[in-house]
């Protein structure tokens, strides 16, 4: 069955960095787009970044220039390098197995369990 497992979250001071990982199994990874999302307490889940099967990337304006999404097809994994973290980045971060079509990312039904990122001021 399809599984996505996030790791790498933790507690970091403002201005610090974290690198999240998403390990994917049960699917032909190379053909799929992956998205990173986050959900802060009391807020809706929002998309942070996506990467297509070909390696093209898109970012939410709030994280552009601070976050970098990448993938390693040999390891069936996607990463989110987060730099210059701010308290507003505090959230549970999730990866999603999606589809990229006609310039748009469509989230799929498969999500990871999430990893907590907490940024202290």
């Amino acid at each position: 069955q399809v599984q996505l497992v996030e790791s790498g979250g933790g507690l970091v001071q403002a201005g610090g960095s974290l690198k999240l990982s998403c390990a994917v199994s049960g699917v032909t990874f190379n053909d799929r787009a992956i998205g990173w999302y986050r959900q802060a307490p009391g807020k809706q889940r929002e998309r942070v970044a996506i990467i297509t099967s070909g390696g093209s990337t898109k970012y939410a304006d709030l994280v552009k220039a601070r976050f970098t999404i990448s993938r390693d097809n040999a390891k069936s994994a996607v990463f989110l390098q987060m730099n210059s973290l701010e308290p507003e980045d505090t959230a549970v971060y999730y990866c999603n197995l999606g589809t990229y079509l006609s310039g748009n990312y469509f989230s799929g039904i498969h999500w990871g369990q999430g990893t907590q990122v907490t940024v202290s001021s």
Side-chain angles (χ1 to χ4, degrees):
Q1 70 277 21
V2 178
Q3 280 192 316
L4 293 89
V5 179
E6 302 95 336
S7 61
L11 174 64
V12 64
Q13 287 189 330
S17 298
L18 282 174
K19 186 174 184 178
L20 306 183
S21 299
C22 173
V24 182
S25 60
V27 69
T28 304
F29 178 79
N30 296 14
D31 296 342
R32 302 300 297 272
I34 303 290
W36 278 103
Y37 290 70
R38 68 186 182 187
Q39 187 166 19
K43 294 188 177 182
Q44 288 192 331
R45 191 171 296 191
E46 61 179 354
R47 192 164 69 214
V48 172
I50 68 100
I51 186 164
T52 69
S53 58
S56 297
T57 60
K58 290 187 176 182
Y59 298 91
D61 288 344
L62 283 175
V63 305
K64 202 175 291 184
R66 297 190 298 123
F67 290 10
T68 302
I69 189 171
S70 61
R71 65 191 294 156
D72 184 336
N73 288 340
K75 297 181 179 179
S76 295
V78 173
F79 308 98
L80 186 68
Q81 177 68 47
M82 307 186 295
N83 298 328
S84 301
L85 283 162
E86 304 166 354
E88 293 74 21
D89 295 317
T90 295
V92 178
Y93 284 71
Y94 301 88
C95 56
N96 171 262
L97 183 67
T99 304
Y100 190 77
L101 188 63
S102 301
N104 294 292
Y105 179 86
F106 297 92
S107 60
I109 62 172
H110 298 288
W111 296 85
Q113 81 290 351
T115 186
Q116 176 70 49
V117 171
T118 303
V119 184
S120 63
S121 56

